[in-house]
Amino acid sequence: MSSWGMSTTGTLHRPPRHPGLILGLLALSQVGVAWLWWRWGWTVGAPAMLATHLTVVWATLYPRATLLCPALSRLPTDERVVWLTIDDGPSDETPAMLDLLDRHGAKATFFVVGERAQAEPAVVQAIRDRGHGIGNHSASHPDTRFWRLGPGAMEDQIGRNQSILTAITGETPRWFRSVVGMTNPFVGLSLKRHGLARVAWSARGFDGVDCEPSKVLARITRDIAPGAIVLLHEGATHGHNVAILAQLLAWLEAQGYRTVVPEPEGLRMPAVAVA
Ligand SMILES: [Zn+2]
């Protein structure tokens, strides 16, 4: 099993290499629009401007879009393994989730929010001590305005959480999860600066909004395939995130799936996902 990790994790973690390029291309596209407008008038210039702007809006708001910043959305493997990712902690539910994962011999990566981590550093240490991964999910989770943060505010969200998590765990996070999946052209600049690679997902159940665990599970399992990256949450107000994780772990076990946590320095992978 470790051969999978050895052969592929080296290429999985890819921070953006040329994040300034997309900014240059965006600027260039507007020069092109201005030229079209000058040469052909508004009947050509206005639609061209609209098209370029809609492309940027789509790439910003659509969680799976990688135009503005690359993202890993599944693991390249045919083995029955999944990567569980749990967003928005630490929360009151983290200890119960850790117990559940232990009971199933499963591992996950927790994408934690810096200011919540500062309030509960012992919980974050427990996540690490029990062998799970810790990823960066911004300093304050500005969900309504993350998409429109400028370079300075974006660096504050991403860089500050790196400092917070490094101070608590002694390890610098390597993976980043965008807030509500949105990404603007400035995300890549901070990710490159901090050696972070962005992780998206291939399976999710909209557990942040839906409070019926069985429906959430049905939506997640529909998209489970070898190498799936599963998006889960903790601490949602409906209080069912632990129940959803419990049902998912039971389902994965029944289907013969194991969990993996790809870390660049080597794969932390439990031998078998059996209780
Ligand atoms: Zn979140």
Side-chain angles (χ1 to χ4, degrees):
M1 287 306 113
S2 60
S3 61
W4 178 78
M6 292 308 155
S7 59
T8 57
T9 47
T11 58
L12 282 180
H13 183 265
R14 287 184 187 146
R17 261 182 293 180
H18 308 291
L21 195 62
I22 188 67
L23 285 164
L25 288 174
L26 291 177
L28 207 60
S29 77
Q30 296 316 292
V31 172
V33 165
W35 181 82
L36 286 173
W37 203 304
W38 170 77
R39 178 72 182 75
W40 302 101
W42 70 270
T43 50
V44 174
M49 189 176 80
L50 190 67
T52 57
H53 287 201
L54 285 178
T55 302
V56 172
V57 170
W58 168 80
T60 301
L61 302 183
Y62 182 62
R64 306 266 293 267
T66 56
L67 178 68
L68 302 178
C69 180
L72 179 70
S73 55
R74 65 174 295 269
L75 303 172
T77 178
D78 296 325
E79 292 181 37
R80 288 172 86 77
V81 297
V82 297
W83 183 9
L84 299 181
T85 65
I86 304 172
D87 285 12
D88 294 356
S91 72
D92 293 344
E93 295 180 320
T94 314
M97 287 184 147
L98 291 175
D99 289 346
L100 250 177
L101 290 164
D102 275 356
R103 226 172 295 143
H104 288 265
K107 293 283 183 273
T109 294
F110 288 76
F111 283 90
V112 306
V113 177
E115 291 177 5
R116 296 173 197 168
Q118 274 179 321
E120 298 281 353
V123 178
V124 178
Q125 282 161 351
I127 295 172
R128 185 211 49 197
D129 292 346
R130 286 159 84 163
H132 303 286
I134 292 177
N136 183 328
H137 191 42
S138 83
S140 71
H141 206 271
D143 47 1
T144 58
R145 54 191 181 86
F146 184 78
W147 65 276
R148 59 183 167 89
L149 295 181
M154 188 62 78
E155 172 57 23
D156 175 60
Q157 285 294 331
I158 295 172
R160 186 153 56 91
N161 196 17
Q162 283 295 86
S163 305
I164 293 169
L165 296 177
T166 304
I168 294 173
T169 67
E171 288 172 25
T172 308
R174 308 294 297 271
W175 302 103
F176 176 75
R177 165 75 41 77
S178 281
V179 177
V180 241
M182 296 173 180
T183 299
N184 73 21
F186 305 120
V187 172
L189 297 175
S190 286
L191 296 193
K192 181 178 184 185
R193 188 171 302 137
H194 297 285
L196 285 162
R198 178 181 159 216
V199 184
W201 56 82
S202 62
R204 70 160 161 183
F206 294 93
D207 56 336
V209 288
D210 202 314
C211 58
E212 225 177 299
S214 62
K215 281 188 186 168
V216 171
L217 188 78
R219 280 195 289 263
I220 294 173
T221 55
R222 191 184 56 201
D223 290 331
I224 298 277
I229 298 178
V230 185
L231 171 63
L232 299 165
H233 291 87
E234 61 174 294
T237 47
H238 56 63
H240 291 164
N241 288 139
V242 177
I244 291 164
L245 178 63
Q247 290 189 17
L248 177 62
L249 287 169
W251 185 91
L252 290 171
E253 218 168 83
Q255 299 291 318
Y257 274 95
R258 293 173 301 108
T259 58
V260 293
V261 173
E263 290 292 334
E265 295 83 4
L267 201 65
R268 294 186 212 162
M269 198 158 73
V272 276
V274 172

